[in-house]
Amino acid sequence: MSLLIIGSVAFDAIETPFGKTGKIVGGSASYISLASALLYPEVGLTAVVGEDFDFEFLKRLQAQGVDTSGVQVKQGEKSFFWSGKYHLDMNSRDTLTTELNVLGTFDPIIPENWNSPDYVMLGNLSPQVQMTTLDRLQKRPKLIVMDTMNFWMSVALDELKMVLNRVDLLTINDEEARELSGELSLVKAARKIMAMGPKYLVIKKGEHGALLFGPENQIYFCPALPLEEVFDPTGAGDTFAGGFLGYLASTGEVSFQAMKKALVYGSCAASFCIEKFGTQRLEEITRSDIEGRMTRFEQLIAL
Amino acid sequence: MSLLIIGSVAFDAIETPFGKTGKIVGGSASYISLASALLYPEVGLTAVVGEDFDFEFLKRLQAQGVDTSGVQVKQGEKSFFWSGKYHLDMNSRDTLTTELNVLGTFDPIIPENWNSPDYVMLGNLSPQVQMTTLDRLQKRPKLIVMDTMNFWMSVALDELKMVLNRVDLLTINDEEARELSGELSLVKAARKIMAMGPKYLVIKKGEHGALLFGPENQIYFCPALPLEEVFDPTGAGDTFAGGFLGYLASTGEVSFQAMKKALVYGSCAASFCIEKFGTQRLEEITRSDIEGRMTRFEQLIAL
């Protein structure tokens, strides 16, 4: 059993109403792999960084149990860099800078011992890179999960739909689900998106929780824990996906029933992520912290 | 055991992306009393209408089990009238017209057999009228629930706070909770609002569900059913409150535990309200329709 994650490992600079960072480690796959490794021991990461990267972070990932042998280091090049500033309500943000750098020519290398994984997470990357990743696997995984964002709907919709047709589960936020489907109702949007390929769909609604849609019109709603403070929402969606997949992989299952509980694990993992800047909080906690929030979660929804 | 409701019984004219009505019956207390009467047999209504009102509606309320002997009819005057137009996303609307008419001088008359109710719902009205209602009760009810809106925070904040200090439970939406408390975090907002008086607080988040806060930091989250289509959201919050109180009154309890299930009943009742214009759908359904949605609800959240 194994879980392969591909996505960005990068630098971010973040400004929120609570403060401002310099360049810190970010990227979809950083969050996904940290969160999944809290719940599952066999996590492999495929990504690309420049020679400017914070290599201590890769060591810390390894210490958490993430195999980073698939992370390429491009000499003479710079890591992907994003900077953004959150609005006062923390629900929206402006992108200040996007420097693709090494991501612009990313050609994923999947180490031999990782090319037959049971679970695959295609983090937010160009659909072309996501497709190449699938092409380089030696067998069909039990479950392929894909994340994406509205940017790719604008510039690479056809490629995005081709990947979508090859995956089992798509995670996107509510706004993106509406954009991809052209439907305002999330129930209708889900039906249209699932007709594009994936048997399962997770629509993320941030502080409003998440919806899981599955075969035979099954729907499950997973709330978010009500929190005193949201310090930095960056990476919350990726942490959610990582917690989801880490727990699911630990069960060995891919059923709707197992996915429901996996979503709750994802939600609890995400509730830690937003407590500090970047990946900091995820690097401090252990599985037992997540289990503690599972108890709070059960109280929140117990009828 | 009895449930007294006070609020507006009025005319609305509504425009949504799906269509447009002429003058139809609306008003907070119309929705609240219809929804609560679906779940509880002893509902009394106190309100005021003009001579132009649709008196067939009062007859239909009576047929549903609502005692309308507290509804005053002002000869020579007109009923309260509101008209509004919803935006494409149905989550926001513009008010086109507000004519106070009879509501401007509303002096509530509580029939003698209704002045010692066990449960009281103060629907959205001026805090002054809400206060007068409480003053005219002969004994302290087991539970006083109050609804309000941001308009009263702007024009009558002191009076609103005086009423708030006398009630057990406040229902408001998330935006209003933030405005009343000056806090962005709903958890912090809840703490501040409960320090103003009410032991319980329900924060309504529309399609995103509702949060119930109670003593000893108890929190319960009640989702909204994911719906194919929202035809007309007018009255959904009042229907939610009516379903909540109707069910709660039927249990005879006022505990946090009983309120949790009552919220789910409110949520299911509201899911019908939005399917047609105005009160139409609420007048068509029975308790067994609501019970049917309770089953869907249980499936939605079952882990």
Side-chain angles (χ1 to χ4, degrees):
Chain A
M1 297 287 291
S2 59
L3 165 58
L4 174 70
I5 292 160
I6 181 164
S8 57
V9 171
F11 283 129
D12 286 347
I14 301 161
E15 189 172 343
T16 76
F18 301 106
K20 198 174 165 165
T21 70
K23 270 194 183 182
I24 59 171
V25 170
S28 59
S30 300
Y31 291 99
I32 297 166
S33 55
L34 275 170
S36 57
L38 281 163
L39 298 164
Y40 184 64
E42 277 186 71
V43 176
L45 172 61
T46 286
V48 63
V49 296
E51 65 173 18
D52 61 341
F53 195 64
D54 173 4
F55 295 99
E56 286 302 313
F57 178 72
L58 294 187
K59 285 188 191 155
R60 296 201 302 275
L61 277 186
Q62 288 156 20
Q64 301 275 5
V66 178
D67 183 336
T68 61
S69 57
V71 180
Q72 306 166 50
V73 182
K74 294 276 182 148
Q75 297 304 324
E77 294 189 44
K78 290 171 78 179
S79 302
F80 175 68
F81 174 61
W82 173 86
S83 75
K85 181 177 173 171
Y86 285 88
H87 300 165
L88 198 61
D89 70 0
M90 299 292 254
N91 284 323
S92 53
R93 67 187 186 189
D94 294 324
T95 288
L96 304 176
T97 318
T98 306
E99 294 172 10
L100 274 186
N101 300 328
V102 290
L103 266 197
T105 56
F106 183 24
D107 186 29
I109 296 170
I110 302 168
E112 218 167 293
N113 54 335
W114 285 100
N115 68 14
S116 302
D118 296 296
Y119 296 83
V120 170
M121 174 75 210
L122 304 172
N124 177 33
L125 280 174
S126 82
Q128 186 56 61
V129 175
Q130 293 178 320
M131 183 72 85
T132 303
T133 305
L134 295 184
D135 289 340
R136 292 180 181 171
L137 299 178
Q138 293 305 301
K139 67 163 209 215
R140 177 60 164 90
K142 283 168 72 169
L143 186 79
I144 303 172
V145 177
M146 170 193 186
D147 188 37
T148 190
M149 69 183 295
N150 46 9
F151 174 74
W152 304 114
M153 297 174 200
S154 313
V155 303
L157 185 60
D158 289 346
E159 292 88 340
L160 191 155
K161 285 187 173 170
M162 284 168 67
V163 187
L164 202 50
N165 195 36
R166 291 176 64 180
V167 307
D168 303 299
L169 189 155
L170 174 71
T171 68
I172 43 173
N173 72 32
D174 44 359
E175 199 185 304
E176 292 158 353
R178 291 186 167 115
E179 183 172 337
L180 183 57
S181 65
E183 293 284 350
L184 275 172
S185 153
L186 293 181
V187 177
K188 287 187 180 176
R191 198 178 299 132
K192 276 205 181 174
I193 292 169
M194 290 165 82
M196 299 177 193
K199 272 205 302 278
Y200 301 94
L201 173 68
V202 174
I203 299 183
K204 299 175 286 182
K205 306 199 296 171
E207 61 166 325
H208 301 305
L211 285 162
L212 168 67
F213 296 87
E216 288 157 33
N217 295 316
Q218 290 177 96
I219 308 186
Y220 172 68
F221 176 76
C222 170
L225 286 169
L227 299 168
E228 292 268 329
E229 205 76 85
V230 176
F231 188 82
D232 172 19
T234 311
D238 292 313
T239 302
F240 177 74
F244 170 79
L245 263 167
Y247 177 78
L248 196 64
S250 79
T251 68
E253 291 185 44
V254 295
S255 66
F256 190 83
Q257 184 59 34
M259 286 180 188
K260 297 200 287 188
K261 198 158 183 190
L263 274 191
V264 181
Y265 272 94
S267 182
C268 290
S271 76
F272 285 102
C273 173
I274 54 87
E275 290 180 342
K276 293 190 177 176
F277 276 126
T279 59
Q280 194 181 337
R281 195 75 180 104
L282 286 184
E283 295 188 50
E284 293 168 355
I285 62 171
T286 64
R287 181 173 183 139
S288 76
D289 293 302
I290 294 184
E291 298 291 352
R293 295 241 167 130
M294 288 294 287
T295 306
R296 266 179 64 189
F297 191 96
E298 280 155 18
Q299 287 164 351
L300 178 73
I301 60 165
L303 252 184
Chain B
M1 298 287 293
S2 58
L3 164 59
L4 176 69
I5 292 159
I6 181 163
S8 56
V9 172
F11 282 130
D12 287 346
I14 300 161
E15 189 172 343
T16 77
F18 302 105
K20 197 174 165 168
T21 70
K23 271 194 183 182
I24 59 171
V25 170
S28 59
S30 300
Y31 291 100
I32 297 166
S33 55
L34 276 169
S36 57
L38 281 164
L39 298 164
Y40 184 65
E42 276 187 71
V43 177
L45 172 60
T46 285
V48 62
V49 296
E51 66 174 14
D52 61 341
F53 194 65
D54 172 5
F55 296 100
E56 286 302 313
F57 177 72
L58 294 186
K59 284 187 193 155
R60 296 201 301 275
L61 276 186
Q62 287 155 21
Q64 301 274 7
V66 178
D67 183 336
T68 62
S69 58
V71 180
Q72 306 167 49
V73 182
K74 294 277 183 146
Q75 297 303 325
E77 294 189 45
K78 290 171 77 179
S79 302
F80 175 68
F81 174 62
W82 173 86
S83 75
K85 182 177 173 170
Y86 286 87
H87 300 164
L88 197 61
D89 69 359
M90 300 291 255
N91 283 323
S92 54
R93 65 188 189 191
D94 295 324
T95 288
L96 303 176
T97 318
T98 305
E99 294 172 10
L100 273 186
N101 299 327
V102 291
L103 266 197
T105 56
F106 182 23
D107 186 30
I109 296 170
I110 301 167
E112 218 168 293
N113 52 336
W114 284 99
N115 68 15
S116 302
D118 297 296
Y119 296 82
V120 170
M121 173 76 210
L122 305 172
N124 178 33
L125 280 174
S126 82
Q128 187 55 61
V129 174
Q130 292 179 319
M131 183 71 85
T132 304
T133 305
L134 294 184
D135 289 341
R136 290 179 182 172
L137 299 178
Q138 294 303 302
K139 67 162 209 222
R140 176 61 164 87
K142 282 167 73 169
L143 185 80
I144 304 172
V145 176
M146 170 192 187
D147 188 39
T148 190
M149 69 183 293
N150 47 7
F151 174 75
W152 304 113
M153 297 174 201
S154 312
V155 304
L157 185 60
D158 289 346
E159 292 88 340
L160 191 156
K161 285 188 173 170
M162 284 168 67
V163 187
L164 202 49
N165 195 35
R166 290 176 65 181
V167 308
D168 302 299
L169 188 155
L170 174 70
T171 68
I172 43 173
N173 71 32
D174 44 359
E175 199 184 305
E176 292 158 353
R178 291 185 168 116
E179 183 171 338
L180 183 57
S181 65
E183 292 284 351
L184 274 171
S185 152
L186 294 181
V187 177
K188 287 186 178 176
R191 198 178 298 134
K192 275 203 181 175
I193 293 169
M194 291 165 81
M196 299 176 192
K199 272 205 302 278
Y200 300 94
L201 173 67
V202 174
I203 299 184
K204 300 174 285 184
K205 305 199 297 172
E207 61 165 325
H208 300 305
L211 285 162
L212 168 66
F213 296 87
E216 290 158 30
N217 296 316
Q218 289 177 96
I219 308 185
Y220 172 67
F221 176 75
C222 170
L225 285 169
L227 299 168
E228 293 268 327
E229 205 76 86
V230 176
F231 188 82
D232 172 19
T234 311
D238 292 313
T239 302
F240 178 73
F244 170 80
L245 262 166
Y247 177 79
L248 196 64
S250 79
T251 68
E253 292 186 44
V254 294
S255 66
F256 189 82
Q257 185 58 34
M259 286 181 188
K260 297 200 287 187
K261 197 158 184 190
L263 275 192
V264 181
Y265 271 94
S267 181
C268 290
S271 75
F272 285 102
C273 173
I274 54 87
E275 290 180 342
K276 293 189 178 177
F277 276 127
T279 60
Q280 194 181 336
R281 194 74 182 106
L282 285 183
E283 295 190 49
E284 293 169 354
I285 62 170
T286 64
R287 180 172 185 139
S288 75
D289 294 302
I290 294 184
E291 299 291 352
R293 295 240 167 132
M294 288 294 287
T295 306
R296 266 179 63 189
F297 190 95
E298 280 154 18
Q299 287 164 350
L300 178 72
I301 60 164
L303 252 184

